[in-house]
Amino acid sequence: MPNKVSRPPLWLAVIGLLLYFGLSYLAPLIQDHNDLDGEAQAAPAISKAEAADLAIAFADHKFGLSPGRTADTLFQSNTVRSGYIQKEGLEEEYRKRFEKRYPIDYYEVEIRDGQATYYIGVNFNNRQVISYSASKAPTAKTEARPAAETDTSSIAVSAVRDMGFDPAAFTLAGSAADKRPPGEFVFVSKTERIGEAPLELHVQTANGQAVSFRPAFPPPESFTLWQQMQDERSALMTRISLFASLLMALAALILVVRQRKQIDFARGALLSIVFLAIYVSNNYNLMPAFRTMHGSGPSEPDAVLYLWISNIYVALMALSSYFALVAGSRLTLDRGERPWAVWRDADFGGQVKQAMSSGYVIALFILGIQQALFFAATELFDVWAVNDPTDSVYNMLHPEWFPLLAWSAAISEEAVYRVLGVSLMLKLTRRPFVAVLVPSVIWAMSHTQYPVYPVYTRLVEVSVIGIVFGYAYLRYGFLTALFAHAAMDSILMGFSLMYSGDDRQAAVGLAYFFAPAVVGWLLHRLHGRFRPRSPSNPPLRHP
């Protein structure tokens, strides 16, 4: 196999930078629309605390709240509406006509008051309340209606008027065909629609008052069926990826058991612990994001349960990454190569420093390739993405922690799909291209669950990136692939903080661009100072 001491040519980084900045400059000049996904939207004009104050004042006026009520603010997004608008090329029309009153992204304030839970939607650009709902119908305190008013349809009409709409501009839809529950009313606009999606106002009544109000633009059935088919394809590819990954993990376990006397069990342990620590911290950081998937009641109990389930899954991932590294290092020795350098090796510091600089060259090249793929997909194949509230920096307890996840992704994915996957396929096929391609496709399938449509686009994009990582691993070694992956993700996640609208977060995001370089430099310096006294590079061991 090629010598791992070689470095990637700098012109790869130059190509990547030219592609990235060139296409970033060119895209706005030729695009005829503006996306409505999260990155394209302006940062919130008000803070979460201000949104909570607005929501509490509204709920107190509407329902009456006790002094002991508590409130938390979440970031939400109308993902289905955004998807329909982008698929049909209606972004500009929607922005001009409806975005101010019916925003795609908004704040949702959860207010807990005894046995009742209220969700108040707040437009974070103009401070208007756009929706509300109560999980348990309270007794109206400030808006009690006369005893003679018992017609629930009249209550619904009053709710529409109270929210600033003219009931005469809407038609009350029948309930028999839709099989809606008692007390629920749908008002369909006579004039307002976007494409084939009419404006609807959904009102739920109970206990003599309106307990829920929500504006909607329900897309036509054709779009719903198309998106459902796309999601089913994504789910299928994700299951295939999971099954293939489990097979690789089983193969790694069998190899470790059979060659346990020749296995270096210390190799990969520290990396697996780092992966676990960062990922568990990230799950805690995502507690607000978990809460966005709530039902009608309090969101925290379900979020805590989801957190524990996620941490159990992450622990299994850490174990799988460890066995992938241990088995992969054994397979590396079997094909006559030295595995990656570890602390006890005399040249560890130098190897890390070189891997860091080489990793940045590969990372910049991949960023350029990715930008070219995005550009081609958007302009030639009508690819679009919607904002995912569960992955938004606005739904994190500590957004500045988010880019640390780059290291968890780099460790686990390079361990499983490069160190183990490529090595296994090389042993089976003896063909480097096949050995790189197959794990790359398996890896790409696991990324199709992201809200990018059509779903095959992520399969193509991530497969191409995986091929570059695979060849970087074969040509320059695991440490280079690790730093390349960490640098690429650190830069992309750093951009998420820079777009958040917070100057402090923007500075933190920029600093993360250089975090892998700092890590590599520190390890190099520390190893140089505390270098082990024992002999360094052990000879290759074969069973």
Side-chain angles (χ1 to χ4, degrees):
M1 301 299 293
N3 188 353
K4 302 296 190 301
V5 178
S6 60
R7 300 172 182 266
L10 288 178
W11 55 260
L12 288 178
V14 174
I15 290 176
L17 290 172
L18 289 175
L19 284 173
Y20 188 87
F21 289 107
L23 293 176
S24 297
Y25 173 79
L26 182 62
L29 300 180
I30 67 174
Q31 287 177 344
D32 57 0
H33 61 270
N34 294 314
D35 292 338
L36 286 173
D37 62 288
E39 288 188 0
Q41 293 296 293
I46 62 174
S47 67
K48 290 184 175 182
E50 291 175 298
D53 291 339
L54 291 169
I56 290 173
F58 175 87
D60 190 41
H61 173 73
K62 178 78 178 167
F63 303 111
L65 300 176
S66 69
R69 80 288 181 277
T70 59
D72 291 295
T73 304
L74 308 173
F75 176 87
Q76 285 284 20
S77 184
N78 292 294
T79 56
V80 174
R81 187 189 310 170
S82 174
Y84 171 69
I85 291 169
Q86 291 188 75
K87 185 176 186 296
E88 300 301 324
L90 301 169
E91 301 97 325
E92 191 64 26
E93 179 185 351
Y94 188 87
R95 192 180 302 280
K96 291 179 179 178
R97 295 178 57 193
F98 301 117
E99 179 66 22
K100 290 184 178 179
R101 189 163 192 180
Y102 316 104
I104 297 296
D105 301 323
Y106 61 97
Y107 279 145
E108 181 182 63
V109 181
E110 178 183 345
I111 304 172
R112 296 171 299 283
D113 187 20
Q115 297 299 314
T117 302
Y118 306 95
Y119 290 99
I120 313 298
V122 178
N123 187 333
F124 52 56
N125 291 317
N126 59 20
R127 306 172 67 90
Q128 291 181 351
V129 173
I130 58 177
S131 64
Y132 62 84
S133 67
S135 65
K136 181 178 180 181
T139 302
K141 297 180 180 180
T142 61
E143 291 194 353
R145 304 190 183 280
E149 186 180 75
T150 58
D151 183 6
T152 54
S153 62
S154 298
I155 296 174
V157 169
S158 296
V160 169
R161 187 180 292 110
D162 292 342
M163 292 299 291
F165 295 89
D166 180 8
F170 293 83
T171 300
L172 184 58
S175 59
D178 296 334
K179 297 181 180 180
R180 290 191 295 271
E184 182 175 344
F185 299 87
V186 176
F187 297 82
V188 183
S189 174
K190 298 176 181 178
T191 58
E192 300 292 351
R193 65 175 51 237
I194 184 73
E196 298 181 38
L199 169 63
E200 293 183 355
L201 306 178
H202 293 242
V203 181
Q204 177 70 49
T205 63
N207 295 345
Q209 64 179 318
V211 295
S212 176
F213 175 89
R214 177 177 60 88
F217 287 87
E221 185 179 6
S222 58
F223 172 80
T224 303
L225 293 175
W226 178 87
Q227 189 176 45
Q228 180 180 354
M229 180 182 64
Q230 290 288 310
D231 292 340
E232 289 174 354
R233 290 176 179 175
S234 171
L236 175 61
M237 286 188 282
T238 301
R239 288 194 294 269
I240 293 173
S241 174
L242 179 60
F243 179 72
S245 300
L246 287 174
L247 287 180
M248 289 193 297
L250 179 61
L253 182 60
I254 294 174
L255 187 148
V256 169
V257 171
R258 293 182 60 182
Q259 299 192 27
R260 58 189 178 276
K261 293 183 179 180
Q262 292 82 33
I263 292 290
D264 181 3
F265 285 96
R267 186 178 292 273
L270 181 59
L271 286 174
S272 301
I273 293 172
V274 170
F275 162 82
L276 180 62
I278 293 177
Y279 217 123
V280 169
S281 300
N282 178 74
N283 282 346
Y284 163 77
N285 193 31
L286 288 176
M287 273 295 289
F290 296 155
R291 295 176 67 171
T292 63
M293 301 181 287
H294 62 78
S296 58
S299 64
E300 191 167 9
D302 288 344
V304 171
L305 177 61
Y306 190 84
L307 173 65
W308 279 102
I309 294 174
S310 297
N311 284 339
I312 293 173
Y313 177 71
V314 168
L316 294 175
M317 289 176 61
L319 191 61
S320 174
S321 299
Y322 169 70
F323 280 109
L325 290 169
V326 170
S329 66
R330 183 65 248 174
L331 290 170
T332 303
L333 284 168
D334 287 345
R335 65 175 185 260
E337 295 182 27
R338 176 191 172 195
W340 64 94
V342 293
W343 182 268
R344 63 177 176 266
D345 298 334
D347 63 343
F348 173 78
Q351 290 283 330
V352 168
K353 183 180 179 181
Q354 177 175 314
M356 177 268 291
S357 59
S358 298
Y360 266 94
V361 172
I362 301 297
L364 293 176
F365 176 69
I366 292 177
L367 286 174
I369 295 298
Q370 186 182 54
Q371 187 77 344
L373 291 171
F374 283 162
F375 181 83
T378 302
E379 298 304 318
L380 302 178
F381 301 101
D382 296 325
V383 174
W384 43 269
V386 297
N387 194 22
D388 183 2
T390 63
D391 197 31
S392 171
V393 294
Y394 297 119
N395 280 328
M396 296 180 184
L397 296 174
H398 304 282
E400 62 275 8
W401 294 4
F402 176 52
L404 290 174
L405 193 62
W407 287 99
S408 283
I411 291 170
S412 64
E413 293 173 2
E414 294 309 306
V416 173
Y417 299 104
R418 252 64 72 181
V419 176
L420 176 63
V422 172
S423 297
L424 278 175
M425 292 305 300
L426 268 178
K427 188 176 183 65
L428 294 174
T429 67
R430 307 289 183 181
R431 300 174 62 185
F433 178 74
V434 176
V436 167
L437 176 63
V438 173
S440 297
V441 174
I442 295 172
W443 178 51
M445 285 183 177
S446 68
H447 287 70
T448 57
Q449 78 275 17
Y450 289 89
V452 180
Y453 297 91
V455 294
Y456 68 81
T457 54
R458 287 241 73 188
L459 176 65
V460 175
E461 172 218 338
V462 181
S463 293
V464 172
I465 294 174
I467 290 172
V468 179
F469 277 135
Y471 273 106
Y473 164 67
L474 286 179
R475 177 70 178 173
Y476 308 110
F478 167 64
L479 290 180
T480 295
L482 178 69
F483 272 97
H485 200 145
M488 183 189 75
D489 283 358
S490 294
I491 293 171
L492 292 175
M493 294 175 180
F495 275 130
S496 298
L497 295 183
M498 295 179 69
Y499 294 146
S500 68
D502 184 298
D503 291 340
R504 186 179 69 87
Q505 298 293 352
V508 173
L510 180 61
Y512 270 108
F513 288 9
F514 310 99
V518 173
V519 170
W521 180 83
L522 283 176
L523 287 175
H524 168 68
R525 293 301 299 269
L526 289 172
H527 188 266
R529 184 169 184 177
F530 303 104
R531 181 179 303 171
R533 298 179 180 274
S534 58
S536 59
N537 303 333
L540 296 180
R541 294 177 298 168
H542 294 280

